[in-house]
Amino acid sequence: MISLEKKLGYAAAAGATVYYGVSKYVENSRVEIVADQSGEGQRLISQCASLSSPHARLVPTPYLCSGMLQTVYCTSQALKQDAGSRVEYVRESKEMEDGGTVSLDWYPEQPARDDEPRVIAVVVPGLGGSAYEYHVRSVARRLAEGKQRMHVVVSNHRGSGRTPLTSGRLYNAYDTSDLRDVLAHIHERYPQAALVAVGFSLGANLLTRYLGELGDRALVRAAVAVSCPFDTEIAGRALSAPGLLNDHLFQPNLMATVKRVVTRNLDVIRASPINYDVDAIMRATRMSEIDDLVTARAYGHKDCWAYYRAASSVEFVDRIRKPFLAINARDDPVTPVQGVPQERFARNPATALALVRHGGHIGFFTGVVRPRIWYLDPVAEYFDAVFA
């Protein structure tokens, strides 16, 4: 029979072990900032409590403690509705020069020309994403209700968010022409409004390239990129890697999204002069196969790997001249940290990089009972600092 003293000893040892484990778990969740210490990027970060205070950290939801779990959970929550994500958009359809269509979803409303807003936030979703995803709606709601009372507009890619394909031209990870046209369109309509932008994943890559391509001439006052791949070849290989959750949850979900777009727009796709192999597209099980069959063929690349190399935004980080914050997770299974050009952020005074240990791809969920998106605070605080 175990004595009371031994039982108390075992309980104390167990309690100490749990306390040590939890404290280390929290301690390892600190936010790491990479920036030129004397630059504008660091100055703005210093005004963001969620990134610079002694308690700045992302403690991930305990049961979402790996990058793939965070990523899969984020995907599974795409249609979630809660008080912080309920929005009703007003849709504007914009016809592009080639006859293609981009949908602009405005929240809380599309401003009248004679009632120009002070700040407009343009959100650029990721591959297959749209204004209706949970994380996009959450960002829209947060920025609209924040200090700047922004009007938010989500630029849905061709064929995404129930935007019809009206030309044979699609979108990819490096062609910024649609983004340029959308920003110019908004700026022309509201010339006195300050524009900021938030990009996710592929949308973040486009935003990074846009800012680097235009430098001081970029129409946005500041931008935030969440889960940007930067080195898209590294990201492409990671996305193609075999794995239980990737094979049976993440890839099937991504493929279903892509194939829905194909199914809804079969007539336009079949009529395209590119002569897509629709049957092969519908049989594809990996995003690399889709990029081989669709993106590489449409844009004249030998294969998906040549396309991924062409799409990289790494070298554009050096050319950014507007305030730019990137938020990435070290355990992101889709855009690995090895592809994030930390040394370029450290030497460009306009930029800053916030790295967290756990967060996955676009996930960044914290909290236990009701997981919430951590980066909503950093995004809102960063833009508040820009306009302070």
Side-chain angles (χ1 to χ4, degrees), residues 83-238:
S85 66
R86 289 193 186 94
V87 301
E88 290 187 12
Y89 293 115
V90 175
R91 172 157 288 194
E92 173 191 3
S93 292
K94 174 169 171 46
E95 183 176 345
M96 313 307 280
E97 286 188 4
D98 69 319
T101 302
V102 171
S103 294
L104 304 179
D105 285 332
W106 290 87
Y107 178 76
E109 61 189 0
Q110 183 179 357
R113 286 181 181 270
D114 59 356
D115 186 23
E116 195 160 337
R118 194 173 74 87
V119 185
I120 297 174
V122 181
V123 181
V124 190
L127 176 65
S130 75
Y132 300 102
E133 292 179 294
Y134 176 65
H135 62 275
V136 174
R137 287 182 282 111
S138 297
V139 165
R141 182 79 180 253
R142 178 60 183 275
L143 294 180
E145 296 180 350
K147 288 183 180 179
Q148 310 305 322
R149 291 294 178 183
M150 299 182 188
H151 278 74
V152 180
V153 57
V154 183
S155 181
N156 297 285
H157 304 292
R158 299 167 183 239
S160 298
R162 294 193 175 274
T163 303
L165 271 180
T166 54
S167 82
R169 181 181 157 201
L170 307 176
Y171 69 96
N172 65 25
Y174 69 81
D175 184 355
T176 62
S177 57
D178 280 355
L179 178 58
R180 288 177 183 233
D181 289 347
V182 165
L183 291 171
H185 167 73
I186 296 169
H187 178 64
E188 181 181 356
R189 179 181 290 171
Y190 309 108
Q192 301 305 313
L195 304 184
V196 298
V198 181
F200 293 97
S201 192
L202 178 145
N205 200 68
L206 287 170
L207 184 56
T208 304
R209 289 180 66 102
Y210 165 80
L211 290 165
E213 288 169 357
L214 270 70
D216 289 326
R217 296 179 293 112
L219 292 178
V220 297
R221 174 82 175 273
V224 177
V226 179
S227 295
C228 181
F230 295 107
D231 189 320
T232 40
E233 184 177 10
I234 289 178
R237 295 193 184 283

Side-chain angles (χ1 to χ4, degrees), residues 68 237-248 251 286:
M68 185 56 77
R237 295 193 184 283
L239 193 57
S240 300
L244 181 64
L245 293 177
N246 192 29
D247 292 346
H248 298 286
Q251 287 284 343
R286 276 282 196 278

